C-alpha cells in the first residue's frame, strides 16, 4: 500500500523494477516489475484509509464487464493515422474478450459481449 505525497504521485510504482537486468539488450517484457511480485494499492492517506475502511466493509462488490467487437470495421493504416478518433475506427483490445469472460466466471456479475456491449 502506497500513500504518495507531492511529486511521488507522478511515479507509477508498479512499473518500477525490483532488480537491474544483466543483459546489454533489455527485454522490457521480461523485466522484474514490482506488479509481478506485489499487489500495489494507492491510498490518499493512512488516516483517510482507516476512516473509510469500516464503511467499505458493508459494500457488496458487483461487477459488470464489457467486451465489444469492432472487427471488420477498421483499416489498420487508417487507425495509425487517425488515433482512433471515431467509432468507425476503433480496434479490438487484445485479450479484452477473454478477460471479460474470465472475470465473469471468477466474480459473477453481468457480462456484455460483442453487439451487447455497444
Amino acid at each position: 500500500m502506497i500513500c504518495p505525497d507531492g511529486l511521488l504521485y507522478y511515479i507509477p510504482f508498479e512499473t518500477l523494477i525490483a532488480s537491474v537486468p544483466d543483459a546489454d539488450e533489455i527485454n522490457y517484457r521480461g523485466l522484474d516489475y514490482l506488479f509481478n511480485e506485489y499487489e500495489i494499492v494507492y491510498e490518499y492517506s493512512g488516516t483517510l484509509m482507516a476512516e473509510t475502511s469500516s464503511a467499505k466493509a458493508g459494500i457488496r462488490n458487483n461487477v459488470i464487464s464489457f467486451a465489444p467487437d469492432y472487427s471488420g470495421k477498421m483499416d489498420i493504416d487508417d487507425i495509425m493515422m487517425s488515433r482512433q478518433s471515431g467509432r468507425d475506427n476503433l480496434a479490438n483490445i487484445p485479450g479484452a474478450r477473454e478477460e471479460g469472460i474470465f472475470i465473469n466466471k471468477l466474480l459473477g456479475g453481468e457480462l456484455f459481449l460483442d453487439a451487447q456491449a455497444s
Side-chain angles (χ1 to χ4, degrees), residues 49-78:
M49 181 195 67
E51 290 175 358
T52 60
S53 64
S54 60
K56 290 179 184 177
I59 296 175
R60 183 171 177 226
N61 292 325
N62 291 320
V63 177
I64 185 168
S65 303
F66 294 91
D69 181 17
Y70 299 113
S71 62
K73 300 178 184 174
M74 64 176 191
D75 176 4
I76 193 67
D77 294 325
D78 189 38

Side-chain angles (χ1 to χ4, degrees), residues 32-91:
D32 189 19
Y33 294 104
L34 291 182
F35 68 79
N36 289 326
E37 295 181 34
Y38 304 99
E39 179 180 350
I40 306 292
V41 177
Y42 294 94
E43 290 288 343
Y44 291 109
S45 74
T47 305
L48 183 60
M49 181 195 67
E51 290 175 358
T52 60
S53 64
S54 60
K56 290 179 184 177
I59 296 175
R60 183 171 177 226
N61 292 325
N62 291 320
V63 177
I64 185 168
S65 303
F66 294 91
D69 181 17
Y70 299 113
S71 62
K73 300 178 184 174
M74 64 176 191
D75 176 4
I76 193 67
D77 294 325
D78 189 38
I79 289 173
M80 297 303 284
M81 299 305 291
S82 69
R83 301 186 69 177
Q84 299 191 22
S85 60
R87 181 176 170 84
D88 292 336
N89 291 327
L90 294 175

